[in-house]
mmCIF file of all heavy atoms in Angstrom:
data_model
loop_
_atom_site.group_PDB
_atom_site.id
_atom_site.type_symbol
_atom_site.label_atom_id
_atom_site.label_comp_id
_atom_site.label_asym_id
_atom_site.label_seq_id
_atom_site.Cartn_x
_atom_site.Cartn_y
_atom_site.Cartn_z
ATOM 1 N N CYS A 47 94.638 117.392 62.662
ATOM 2 C CA CYS A 47 94.782 118.861 63.043
ATOM 3 C C CYS A 47 94.972 119.564 61.782
ATOM 4 O O CYS A 47 95.980 119.420 60.979
ATOM 5 C CB CYS A 47 95.972 118.889 63.981
ATOM 6 S SG CYS A 47 96.384 120.568 64.500
ATOM 7 N N ASP A 48 94.026 120.487 61.450
ATOM 8 C CA ASP A 48 94.086 121.333 60.264
ATOM 9 C C ASP A 48 94.174 120.399 59.030
ATOM 10 O O ASP A 48 94.940 120.707 58.006
ATOM 11 C CB ASP A 48 95.247 122.250 60.329
ATOM 12 C CG ASP A 48 95.108 123.410 61.281
ATOM 13 O OD1 ASP A 48 93.951 123.670 61.665
ATOM 14 O OD2 ASP A 48 96.093 123.812 61.836
ATOM 15 N N GLY A 49 93.383 119.264 59.013
ATOM 16 C CA GLY A 49 93.372 118.307 57.907
ATOM 17 C C GLY A 49 94.592 117.471 57.765
ATOM 18 O O GLY A 49 94.759 116.701 56.795
ATOM 19 N N LYS A 50 95.516 117.543 58.746
ATOM 20 C CA LYS A 50 96.728 116.630 58.653
ATOM 21 C C LYS A 50 96.732 115.770 59.846
ATOM 22 O O LYS A 50 96.294 116.146 60.906
ATOM 23 C CB LYS A 50 98.025 117.524 58.593
ATOM 24 C CG LYS A 50 98.075 118.436 57.453
ATOM 25 C CD LYS A 50 99.309 119.258 57.575
ATOM 26 C CE LYS A 50 99.470 120.205 56.216
ATOM 27 N NZ LYS A 50 100.636 121.086 56.349
ATOM 28 N N PRO A 51 97.299 114.555 59.749
ATOM 29 C CA PRO A 51 97.313 113.606 60.893
ATOM 30 C C PRO A 51 98.269 114.179 61.985
ATOM 31 O O PRO A 51 99.177 114.951 61.798
ATOM 32 C CB PRO A 51 97.937 112.311 60.266
ATOM 33 C CG PRO A 51 98.631 112.768 59.082
ATOM 34 C CD PRO A 51 97.836 113.977 58.519
ATOM 35 N N LEU A 52 97.980 113.802 63.268
ATOM 36 C CA LEU A 52 98.794 114.212 64.368
ATOM 37 C C LEU A 52 100.226 113.878 64.171
ATOM 38 O O LEU A 52 101.001 114.623 64.812
ATOM 39 C CB LEU A 52 98.209 113.588 65.619
ATOM 40 C CG LEU A 52 98.348 114.436 66.920
ATOM 41 C CD1 LEU A 52 97.570 115.719 66.786
ATOM 42 C CD2 LEU A 52 97.698 113.595 68.089
ATOM 43 N N SER A 53 100.560 112.922 63.548
ATOM 44 C CA SER A 53 101.889 112.538 63.424
ATOM 45 C C SER A 53 102.788 113.638 62.807
ATOM 46 O O SER A 53 104.011 113.760 63.032
ATOM 47 C CB SER A 53 102.064 111.258 62.505
ATOM 48 O OG SER A 53 101.492 111.528 61.239
ATOM 49 N N VAL A 54 102.211 114.593 62.013
ATOM 50 C CA VAL A 54 102.927 115.705 61.371
ATOM 51 C C VAL A 54 103.411 116.551 62.528
ATOM 52 O O VAL A 54 104.483 117.086 62.454
ATOM 53 C CB VAL A 54 101.932 116.454 60.408
ATOM 54 C CG1 VAL A 54 102.644 117.776 59.984
ATOM 55 C CG2 VAL A 54 101.563 115.564 59.246
ATOM 56 N N LEU A 55 102.595 116.845 63.592
ATOM 57 C CA LEU A 55 102.960 117.643 64.632
ATOM 58 C C LEU A 55 104.113 117.106 65.371
ATOM 59 O O LEU A 55 105.074 117.770 65.904
ATOM 60 C CB LEU A 55 101.766 117.929 65.561
ATOM 61 C CG LEU A 55 100.606 118.642 65.044
ATOM 62 C CD1 LEU A 55 99.565 118.920 66.104
ATOM 63 C CD2 LEU A 55 100.996 120.055 64.448
ATOM 64 N N ILE A 56 104.139 115.781 65.493
ATOM 65 C CA ILE A 56 105.137 115.003 66.252
ATOM 66 C C ILE A 56 106.490 115.048 65.404
ATOM 67 O O ILE A 56 107.563 115.390 65.937
ATOM 68 C CB ILE A 56 104.791 113.550 66.490
ATOM 69 C CG1 ILE A 56 103.454 113.506 67.390
ATOM 70 C CG2 ILE A 56 105.854 112.850 67.154
ATOM 71 C CD1 ILE A 56 102.915 112.112 67.553
ATOM 72 N N GLU A 57 106.350 114.902 64.112
ATOM 73 C CA GLU A 57 107.565 114.886 63.253
ATOM 74 C C GLU A 57 108.180 116.312 63.166
ATOM 75 O O GLU A 57 109.426 116.427 63.077
ATOM 76 C CB GLU A 57 107.154 114.435 61.783
ATOM 77 C CG GLU A 57 106.816 113.002 61.769
ATOM 78 C CD GLU A 57 106.133 112.546 60.410
ATOM 79 O OE1 GLU A 57 106.037 113.556 59.665
ATOM 80 O OE2 GLU A 57 105.745 111.382 60.257
ATOM 81 N N SER A 58 107.387 117.305 63.281
ATOM 82 C CA SER A 58 107.980 118.628 63.229
ATOM 83 C C SER A 58 108.230 119.203 64.675
ATOM 84 O O SER A 58 108.627 120.284 64.866
ATOM 85 C CB SER A 58 106.895 119.619 62.643
ATOM 86 O OG SER A 58 105.637 119.585 63.501
ATOM 87 N N LYS A 59 108.168 118.240 65.661
ATOM 88 C CA LYS A 59 108.547 118.595 67.078
ATOM 89 C C LYS A 59 107.674 119.633 67.698
ATOM 90 O O LYS A 59 108.073 120.256 68.641
ATOM 91 C CB LYS A 59 110.046 118.891 67.079
ATOM 92 C CG LYS A 59 110.848 117.776 66.617
ATOM 93 C CD LYS A 59 112.360 118.187 66.811
ATOM 94 C CE LYS A 59 113.266 116.984 66.481
ATOM 95 N NZ LYS A 59 114.704 117.237 66.701
ATOM 96 N N LEU A 60 106.515 119.825 67.193
ATOM 97 C CA LEU A 60 105.604 120.768 67.881
ATOM 98 C C LEU A 60 104.955 119.952 69.077
ATOM 99 O O LEU A 60 104.467 120.542 70.021
ATOM 100 C CB LEU A 60 104.383 121.155 66.984
ATOM 101 C CG LEU A 60 104.754 122.194 65.981
ATOM 102 C CD1 LEU A 60 103.696 122.445 64.886
ATOM 103 C CD2 LEU A 60 105.182 123.570 66.567
ATOM 104 N N LEU A 61 104.911 118.610 69.054
ATOM 105 C CA LEU A 61 104.630 117.769 70.106
ATOM 106 C C LEU A 61 105.720 116.772 70.350
ATOM 107 O O LEU A 61 106.480 116.332 69.463
ATOM 108 C CB LEU A 61 103.346 116.918 69.725
ATOM 109 C CG LEU A 61 101.966 117.592 69.596
ATOM 110 C CD1 LEU A 61 100.867 116.677 69.276
ATOM 111 C CD2 LEU A 61 101.689 118.506 70.896
ATOM 112 N N HIS A 62 105.930 116.575 71.661
ATOM 113 C CA HIS A 62 107.080 115.755 72.073
ATOM 114 C C HIS A 62 106.551 114.504 72.883
ATOM 115 O O HIS A 62 105.878 114.710 73.881
ATOM 116 C CB HIS A 62 108.083 116.538 72.989
ATOM 117 C CG HIS A 62 109.081 115.786 73.674
ATOM 118 N ND1 HIS A 62 110.130 115.297 73.043
ATOM 119 C CD2 HIS A 62 109.230 115.493 74.968
ATOM 120 C CE1 HIS A 62 110.830 114.620 73.863
ATOM 121 N NE2 HIS A 62 110.357 114.706 75.105
ATOM 122 N N ILE A 63 106.853 113.402 72.380
ATOM 123 C CA ILE A 63 106.367 112.070 73.037
ATOM 124 C C ILE A 63 107.405 111.859 74.147
ATOM 125 O O ILE A 63 108.619 111.733 73.919
ATOM 126 C CB ILE A 63 106.396 110.930 72.075
ATOM 127 C CG1 ILE A 63 105.296 111.228 70.926
ATOM 128 C CG2 ILE A 63 106.061 109.630 72.727
ATOM 129 C CD1 ILE A 63 105.157 110.109 69.943
ATOM 130 N N HIS A 64 106.853 111.576 75.337
ATOM 131 C CA HIS A 64 107.697 111.253 76.517
ATOM 132 C C HIS A 64 108.282 109.911 76.349
ATOM 133 O O HIS A 64 107.679 109.026 75.805
ATOM 134 C CB HIS A 64 106.886 111.292 77.872
ATOM 135 C CG HIS A 64 106.476 112.763 78.169
ATOM 136 N ND1 HIS A 64 106.106 113.155 79.424
ATOM 137 C CD2 HIS A 64 106.278 113.867 77.401
ATOM 138 C CE1 HIS A 64 105.748 114.395 79.474
ATOM 139 N NE2 HIS A 64 105.913 114.876 78.221
ATOM 140 N N SER A 65 109.418 109.659 77.049
ATOM 141 C CA SER A 65 110.082 108.458 77.080
ATOM 142 C C SER A 65 109.197 107.390 77.850
ATOM 143 O O SER A 65 108.431 107.753 78.750
ATOM 144 C CB SER A 65 111.438 108.539 77.807
ATOM 145 O OG SER A 65 111.919 107.325 78.239
ATOM 146 N N LEU A 66 109.324 106.182 77.524
ATOM 147 C CA LEU A 66 108.715 105.090 78.219
ATOM 148 C C LEU A 66 109.054 104.927 79.757
ATOM 149 O O LEU A 66 108.294 104.557 80.626
ATOM 150 C CB LEU A 66 108.964 103.670 77.667
ATOM 151 C CG LEU A 66 108.350 103.444 76.171
ATOM 152 C CD1 LEU A 66 108.860 102.140 75.614
ATOM 153 C CD2 LEU A 66 106.833 103.500 76.225
ATOM 154 N N LEU A 67 110.128 105.540 80.108
ATOM 155 C CA LEU A 67 110.662 105.522 81.453
ATOM 156 C C LEU A 67 110.534 106.852 82.098
ATOM 157 O O LEU A 67 110.936 107.040 83.300
ATOM 158 C CB LEU A 67 112.314 105.270 81.500
ATOM 159 C CG LEU A 67 112.679 103.914 80.788
ATOM 160 C CD1 LEU A 67 114.281 103.871 80.854
ATOM 161 C CD2 LEU A 67 112.050 102.753 81.547
ATOM 162 N N CYS A 68 109.763 107.748 81.460
ATOM 163 C CA CYS A 68 109.378 109.006 82.055
ATOM 164 C C CYS A 68 108.615 108.902 83.423
ATOM 165 O O CYS A 68 107.738 108.060 83.543
ATOM 166 C CB CYS A 68 108.528 109.841 81.095
ATOM 167 S SG CYS A 68 108.138 111.584 81.672
ATOM 168 N N LYS A 69 109.111 109.640 84.435
ATOM 169 C CA LYS A 69 108.348 109.586 85.759
ATOM 170 C C LYS A 69 107.605 110.781 86.015
ATOM 171 O O LYS A 69 107.163 110.996 87.131
ATOM 172 C CB LYS A 69 109.532 109.461 86.806
ATOM 173 C CG LYS A 69 110.298 108.098 86.705
ATOM 174 C CD LYS A 69 111.447 108.101 87.668
ATOM 175 C CE LYS A 69 112.223 106.762 87.551
ATOM 176 N NZ LYS A 69 113.237 106.689 88.640
ATOM 177 N N CYS A 70 107.249 111.625 85.084
ATOM 178 C CA CYS A 70 106.413 112.713 85.318
ATOM 179 C C CYS A 70 105.017 112.338 85.674
ATOM 180 O O CYS A 70 104.556 111.251 85.407
ATOM 181 C CB CYS A 70 106.498 113.791 84.173
ATOM 182 S SG CYS A 70 105.396 113.275 82.783
ATOM 183 N N LYS A 71 104.282 113.365 86.159
ATOM 184 C CA LYS A 71 102.903 113.105 86.595
ATOM 185 C C LYS A 71 101.919 112.722 85.416
ATOM 186 O O LYS A 71 100.975 111.967 85.584
ATOM 187 C CB LYS A 71 102.308 114.222 87.371
ATOM 188 C CG LYS A 71 103.020 114.442 88.677
ATOM 189 C CD LYS A 71 102.350 115.438 89.509
ATOM 190 C CE LYS A 71 103.049 115.635 90.808
ATOM 191 N NZ LYS A 71 102.427 116.716 91.751
ATOM 192 N N LEU A 72 102.281 113.258 84.227
ATOM 193 C CA LEU A 72 101.450 112.881 83.050
ATOM 194 C C LEU A 72 101.566 111.448 82.664
ATOM 195 O O LEU A 72 100.604 110.803 82.261
ATOM 196 C CB LEU A 72 101.877 113.789 81.871
ATOM 197 C CG LEU A 72 101.604 115.255 82.018
ATOM 198 C CD1 LEU A 72 102.189 115.982 80.803
ATOM 199 C CD2 LEU A 72 100.131 115.558 82.123
ATOM 200 N N CYS A 73 102.741 110.896 83.011
ATOM 201 C CA CYS A 73 103.055 109.508 82.608
ATOM 202 C C CYS A 73 102.702 108.611 83.777
ATOM 203 O O CYS A 73 102.859 107.319 83.746
ATOM 204 C CB CYS A 73 104.426 109.240 82.108
ATOM 205 S SG CYS A 73 104.834 110.189 80.580
ATOM 206 N N SER A 74 102.332 109.102 84.843
ATOM 207 C CA SER A 74 102.105 108.323 86.159
ATOM 208 C C SER A 74 100.879 107.400 86.009
ATOM 209 O O SER A 74 99.901 107.779 85.358
ATOM 210 C CB SER A 74 101.943 109.231 87.297
ATOM 211 O OG SER A 74 101.609 108.462 88.466
ATOM 212 N N SER A 75 100.946 106.259 86.580
ATOM 213 C CA SER A 75 99.859 105.276 86.570
ATOM 214 C C SER A 75 99.047 105.365 87.818
ATOM 215 O O SER A 75 98.091 104.473 87.997
ATOM 216 C CB SER A 75 100.363 103.776 86.253
ATOM 217 O OG SER A 75 101.240 103.425 87.267
ATOM 218 N N THR A 76 99.395 106.184 88.752
ATOM 219 C CA THR A 76 98.669 106.231 90.046
ATOM 220 C C THR A 76 97.369 106.854 89.871
ATOM 221 O O THR A 76 97.100 107.743 88.961
ATOM 222 C CB THR A 76 99.427 107.012 91.067
ATOM 223 O OG1 THR A 76 99.418 108.403 90.666
ATOM 224 C CG2 THR A 76 100.792 106.478 91.199
ATOM 225 N N VAL A 77 96.429 106.330 90.598
ATOM 226 C CA VAL A 77 94.954 106.856 90.485
ATOM 227 C C VAL A 77 94.918 108.394 90.730
ATOM 228 O O VAL A 77 94.239 109.071 90.013
ATOM 229 C CB VAL A 77 94.023 106.133 91.440
ATOM 230 C CG1 VAL A 77 92.626 106.709 91.467
ATOM 231 C CG2 VAL A 77 94.096 104.639 91.156
ATOM 232 N N LYS A 78 95.652 108.878 91.696
ATOM 233 C CA LYS A 78 95.631 110.202 92.010
ATOM 234 C C LYS A 78 96.129 111.143 90.894
ATOM 235 O O LYS A 78 95.483 112.119 90.591
ATOM 236 C CB LYS A 78 96.519 110.579 93.279
ATOM 237 C CG LYS A 78 96.405 112.066 93.762
ATOM 238 C CD LYS A 78 97.419 112.256 94.861
ATOM 239 C CE LYS A 78 97.452 113.745 95.281
ATOM 240 N NZ LYS A 78 97.736 114.663 94.094
ATOM 241 N N ASP A 79 97.277 110.842 90.327
ATOM 242 C CA ASP A 79 97.802 111.623 89.215
ATOM 243 C C ASP A 79 96.939 111.579 88.064
ATOM 244 O O ASP A 79 96.683 112.654 87.352
ATOM 245 C CB ASP A 79 99.205 111.064 88.937
ATOM 246 C CG ASP A 79 100.256 111.536 89.925
ATOM 247 O OD1 ASP A 79 99.985 112.488 90.696
ATOM 248 O OD2 ASP A 79 101.237 110.746 90.050
ATOM 249 N N GLN A 80 96.288 110.407 87.813
ATOM 250 C CA GLN A 80 95.373 110.419 86.632
ATOM 251 C C GLN A 80 94.026 111.162 86.902
ATOM 252 O O GLN A 80 93.514 111.823 86.049
ATOM 253 C CB GLN A 80 95.018 108.973 86.385
ATOM 254 C CG GLN A 80 96.224 108.202 85.759
ATOM 255 C CD GLN A 80 95.872 106.720 85.316
ATOM 256 O OE1 GLN A 80 94.791 106.244 85.494
ATOM 257 N NE2 GLN A 80 96.855 106.085 84.800
ATOM 258 N N HIS A 81 93.648 111.112 88.227
ATOM 259 C CA HIS A 81 92.470 111.900 88.585
ATOM 260 C C HIS A 81 92.645 113.380 88.525
ATOM 261 O O HIS A 81 91.712 114.116 88.196
ATOM 262 C CB HIS A 81 91.968 111.418 90.034
ATOM 263 C CG HIS A 81 90.669 111.936 90.430
ATOM 264 N ND1 HIS A 81 89.586 111.787 89.659
ATOM 265 C CD2 HIS A 81 90.212 112.427 91.634
ATOM 266 C CE1 HIS A 81 88.477 112.260 90.309
ATOM 267 N NE2 HIS A 81 88.912 112.611 91.497
ATOM 268 N N ASP A 82 93.814 113.787 88.817
ATOM 269 C CA ASP A 82 94.160 115.173 88.836
ATOM 270 C C ASP A 82 94.179 115.735 87.502
ATOM 271 O O ASP A 82 94.089 117.036 87.225
ATOM 272 C CB ASP A 82 95.597 115.563 89.427
ATOM 273 C CG ASP A 82 95.506 115.433 90.911
ATOM 274 O OD1 ASP A 82 94.401 115.432 91.479
ATOM 275 O OD2 ASP A 82 96.662 115.290 91.555
ATOM 276 N N GLN A 83 94.166 114.922 86.411
ATOM 277 C CA GLN A 83 94.141 115.357 85.030
ATOM 278 C C GLN A 83 92.725 115.442 84.476
ATOM 279 O O GLN A 83 92.472 115.845 83.344
ATOM 280 C CB GLN A 83 94.884 114.428 84.118
ATOM 281 C CG GLN A 83 96.391 114.312 84.496
ATOM 282 C CD GLN A 83 97.130 113.367 83.593
ATOM 283 O OE1 GLN A 83 96.937 113.268 82.356
ATOM 284 N NE2 GLN A 83 97.992 112.524 84.185
#
């Protein structure tokens, strides 16, 4: 991103990695939730 690795955005907290236990639809493994994306 702009010549820098994506890890820079994560370290600067511009991107936030969800927890492994996150139950939101983005982290869902169901076919419907993935299909909706």
Side-chain angles (χ1 to χ4, degrees):
C47 177
D48 293 332
K50 299 178 181 179
L52 207 59
S53 57
V54 173
L55 297 182
I56 298 171
E57 292 167 1
S58 61
K59 296 186 178 180
L60 286 173
L61 293 178
H62 168 72
I63 297 182
H64 291 202
S65 160
L66 292 175
L67 302 177
C68 180
K69 297 180 180 180
C70 77
K71 292 184 177 180
L72 293 177
C73 298
S74 172
S75 59
T76 67
V77 174
K78 179 186 181 302
D79 287 337
Q80 292 184 356
H81 192 43
D82 284 345
Q83 298 177 42

